[in-house]
Amino acid sequence: MSQSTVSCLPVNTAKMSKAKKVLDEARETQNRELDLVDKGLVSFEELPGLFNMSNITRLTLSHNKISLINPGIANLLNLEILNLSNNQLTELPVSLSSMPKLRILNVSINKLGNLPRGFGAFPVLEVLDLSYNNLNEQVLPGNFFGMETLRALYLGDNDFEYIPKELGQLKNLQILGLRDNDLLELPREVGELQRLRELHIQNNRLQVLPPEVAQLDLLSNKSVMKMEENPWVNPIAEQYLLGISHVIEYLKTETYKIIYNRHMQGGRSGPPPPKADKSKKASRIRA
């Protein structure tokens, strides 16, 4: 009879004790980096005392099953790098964007369908990875493009059809990842991103590019431009077969500007290209 109490123990006790062991060791050694990858974590309640560890600078919680981030995470005032990729997150706390030293935030491969109000208030954020979620242009907060310190923005594998013209405000942006969306066009303001060195727009529904893309430095040895798997108008498709440099040069021509303006003014031939079927995407499947 006395042994029956054993069955009352939580199923994830072993996993939880592993996480607790990592926390205890970090406290003892004053380790400023916490690695909690693949510990079977479901919630922050399995990490007692974490939010009191204000000396932590890096927190890695990827490959777990966490669905909510406790707002108390903002107590980690020295946190610079937060990796929550590959979890079950459906939303983010408003407090996240108030973290004073957060430079890198990775919440890719989750189930985010919206972003909290004021999300763009991060004071020093440099890298933001929101790829492989269920986001679109409708859920971007009004201040999203106010993150002037941002150097890399990854929005690939979402549901964007358009990117707001406010994109041009990200003056320090060097990498823009927009692959595998439903993009029908890019804003002309992309040409204002004078520090941009990587543009990933492959596998969308793009037929034309704004001529302003030609103003960017995308042809140097350290630059990258990926644009395959789009239903380009024939002139762009033909130039692409010759190479990215030919596309860039073609975008500068008066001939192309006429084609672009006609296309944007409703001169498209037929309906827009169909969307890809994303019904089996992991981010759509309920846990």
Side-chain angles (χ1 to χ4, degrees):
M1 293 290 289
S2 61
Q3 292 181 350
S4 63
T5 54
V6 174
S7 63
C8 296
L9 288 172
V11 175
N12 63 346
T13 299
K15 291 270 191 178
M16 187 172 175
S17 62
K18 283 184 184 178
K20 188 174 182 301
K21 184 180 178 183
V22 173
L23 289 179
D24 291 342
E25 287 178 356
R27 286 191 194 94
E28 288 175 20
T29 61
Q30 288 295 295
N31 191 349
R32 296 164 67 85
E33 300 187 358
L34 272 181
D35 186 344
L36 293 161
V37 176
D38 196 18
K39 292 288 188 287
L41 297 169
V42 175
S43 81
F44 279 86
E45 291 176 6
E46 298 170 71
L47 301 170
L50 170 65
F51 300 143
N52 296 327
M53 301 172 70
S54 58
N55 65 316
I56 298 296
T57 59
R58 180 198 292 257
L59 177 57
T60 306
L61 288 160
S62 54
H63 295 273
N64 284 291
K65 298 176 182 178
I66 299 169
S67 57
L68 287 173
I69 302 176
N70 191 304
I73 199 164
N75 292 336
L76 301 178
L77 297 177
N78 287 298
L79 196 65
E80 297 179 18
I81 301 171
L82 177 58
N83 186 344
L84 276 153
S85 64
N86 223 315
N87 274 280
Q88 303 285 333
L89 295 175
T90 55
E91 58 183 274
L92 300 175
V94 174
S95 63
L96 203 59
S97 57
S98 67
M99 299 179 75
K101 295 187 178 180
L102 194 63
R103 295 185 297 105
I104 299 174
L105 175 61
N106 186 346
V107 286
S108 63
I109 316 177
N110 276 285
K111 300 187 176 187
L112 298 172
N114 57 64
L115 295 173
R117 189 175 177 183
F119 185 76
F122 294 94
V124 296
L125 198 66
E126 297 177 18
V127 178
L128 176 58
D129 193 342
L130 290 164
S131 54
Y132 211 98
N133 279 287
N134 302 319
L135 302 170
N136 60 54
E137 60 274 12
Q138 304 296 328
V139 303
L140 294 181
N143 69 340
F144 185 82
F145 295 103
M147 296 179 276
E148 296 179 0
T149 54
L150 212 56
R151 294 186 295 107
L153 176 59
Y154 300 98
L155 295 174
D157 266 305
N158 278 286
D159 302 321
F160 289 93
E161 291 193 16
Y162 300 93
I163 299 297
K165 63 181 182 180
E166 287 77 15
L167 172 71
Q169 297 173 14
L170 301 178
K171 302 300 183 187
N172 287 301
L173 202 64
Q174 298 172 28
I175 301 172
L176 178 58
L178 296 170
R179 61 173 177 74
D180 295 290
N181 272 283
D182 296 315
L183 287 176
L184 289 166
E185 61 186 71
L186 290 179
R188 303 189 78 141
E189 287 75 11
V190 70
E192 297 172 17
L193 306 176
Q194 288 302 303
R195 296 193 176 185
L196 201 68
R197 296 296 177 269
E198 289 191 29
L199 179 59
H200 300 264
I201 51 174
Q202 61 268 45
N203 200 18
N204 276 286
R205 302 154 73 201
L206 297 167
Q207 295 176 282
V208 295
L209 283 170
E212 287 77 7
V213 168
Q215 299 170 12
L216 303 172
D217 180 11
L218 294 171
L219 296 178
S220 68
N221 291 335
K222 295 182 179 179
S223 296
V224 176
M225 183 173 176
K226 298 277 190 178
M227 56 179 285
E228 64 269 20
E229 301 298 327
N230 277 287
W232 301 113
V233 293
N234 282 337
I236 290 184
E238 290 167 3
Q239 296 301 320
Y240 179 62
L241 290 175
L242 300 174
I244 295 292
S245 61
H246 290 265
V247 174
I248 297 295
E249 288 305 311
Y250 179 64
L251 297 185
K252 296 176 183 177
T253 66
E254 291 302 317
T255 301
Y256 176 69
K257 288 173 185 174
I258 292 171
I259 291 174
Y260 175 78
N261 289 332
R262 188 179 298 150
H263 184 90
M264 298 307 292
Q265 288 166 10
R268 302 176 178 87
S269 54
K275 292 183 180 182
D277 179 13
K278 299 181 182 180
S279 59
K280 294 188 171 119
K281 188 177 163 185
S283 60
R284 301 278 168 84
I285 300 171
R286 296 292 175 191

